């Protein structure tokens, strides 16, 4: 977009853009790693002050309004679609990096995970059998 809109020439602009994208990836992975191992994600899940659904609706409404206004008042809608694609790529990368860090954490600390969730890693049929057996045991005790 810098080549078309700003008239940039040469490979310097491309290299700077790639470097900024790599810094974004490394930065998001570092922040996710830091938040996962410091317990920030757990603390955020325990708070119910601001519902995430309402925040996402507000953000989506803002983006949708910008898109509609941009399609109406600008000639080139292709640039807007490209910006949306780049934004989605960065958001998906951040989203997937969270699950990568969770996977590595669980694979390193499998014993701790099984202490908290004893049915972790079991086939679904066995998980339900254990729950049913526990319910039957409680009923027979009563």
């Amino acid at each position: 977009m810098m080549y078309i809109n700003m008239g940039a020439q040469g490979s310097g602009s491309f290299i700077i853009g790639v470097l900024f994208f790599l810094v974004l990836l490394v930065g998001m992975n570092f922040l996710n790693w830091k938040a996962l191992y410091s317990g920030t994600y757990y603390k955020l899940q325990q708070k119910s002050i601001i519902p995430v659904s309402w925040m996402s609706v507000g953000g989506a409404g803002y983006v949708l309004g910008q898109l509609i206004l941009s399609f109406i008042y600008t000639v080139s809608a292709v640039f807007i679609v490209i910006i949306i694609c780049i934004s989605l790529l960065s958001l998906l990368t951040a989203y997937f990096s969270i699950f990568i860090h969770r996977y590595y954490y669980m694979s390193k600390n499998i014993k701790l995970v099984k202490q908290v969730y004893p049915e972790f890693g079991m086939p679904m049929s066995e998980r339900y059998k254990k729950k049913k057996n526990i319910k039957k045991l409680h009923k027979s005790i009563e």
Side-chain angles (χ1 to χ4, degrees):
M1 291 177 35
M2 289 180 5
Y3 288 102
I4 296 170
N5 290 334
M6 296 174 26
Q9 296 178 351
S11 61
S13 302
F14 178 74
I15 292 171
I16 290 172
V18 169
L19 287 176
F20 279 144
F21 187 71
L22 290 175
V23 167
L24 173 72
L25 288 177
V26 171
M28 288 303 296
N29 278 316
F30 176 75
L31 288 175
N32 284 327
W33 178 78
K34 195 77 166 163
L36 181 67
Y37 287 101
S38 67
T40 304
Y41 286 136
Y42 178 75
K43 292 174 189 172
L44 287 173
Q45 288 175 347
Q46 301 306 315
K47 293 182 181 179
S48 61
I49 296 170
I50 301 173
V52 176
S53 60
W54 285 109
M55 288 177 23
S56 61
V57 166
Y62 176 77
V63 170
L64 186 63
Q66 287 294 324
L67 284 174
I68 291 171
L69 288 174
S70 298
F71 279 121
I72 292 172
Y73 291 111
T74 60
V75 177
S76 180
V78 174
F79 295 122
I80 297 166
V81 173
I82 292 172
I83 291 170
I84 291 170
C85 291
I86 291 171
S87 300
L88 287 176
L89 177 66
S90 63
L91 289 173
L92 284 174
T93 305
Y95 180 75
F96 290 144
S97 67
I98 291 170
F99 287 102
I100 289 171
H101 290 296
R102 285 183 185 173
Y103 170 77
Y104 285 134
Y105 179 81
M106 286 191 295
S107 63
K108 284 182 181 178
N109 303 305
I110 193 71
K111 290 180 182 177
L112 292 174
V113 172
K114 286 192 176 187
Q115 284 178 353
V116 176
Y117 301 104
E119 66 275 356
F120 182 78
M122 298 174 90
M124 194 175 290
S125 59
E126 289 183 27
R127 282 185 257 166
Y128 289 129
K129 281 182 186 177
K130 287 198 174 200
K131 287 181 183 178
K132 288 179 183 177
N133 290 340
I134 291 173
K135 286 181 182 178
K136 287 181 183 177
L137 180 66
H138 285 293
K139 286 182 181 179
S140 64
I141 293 174
E142 293 174 356

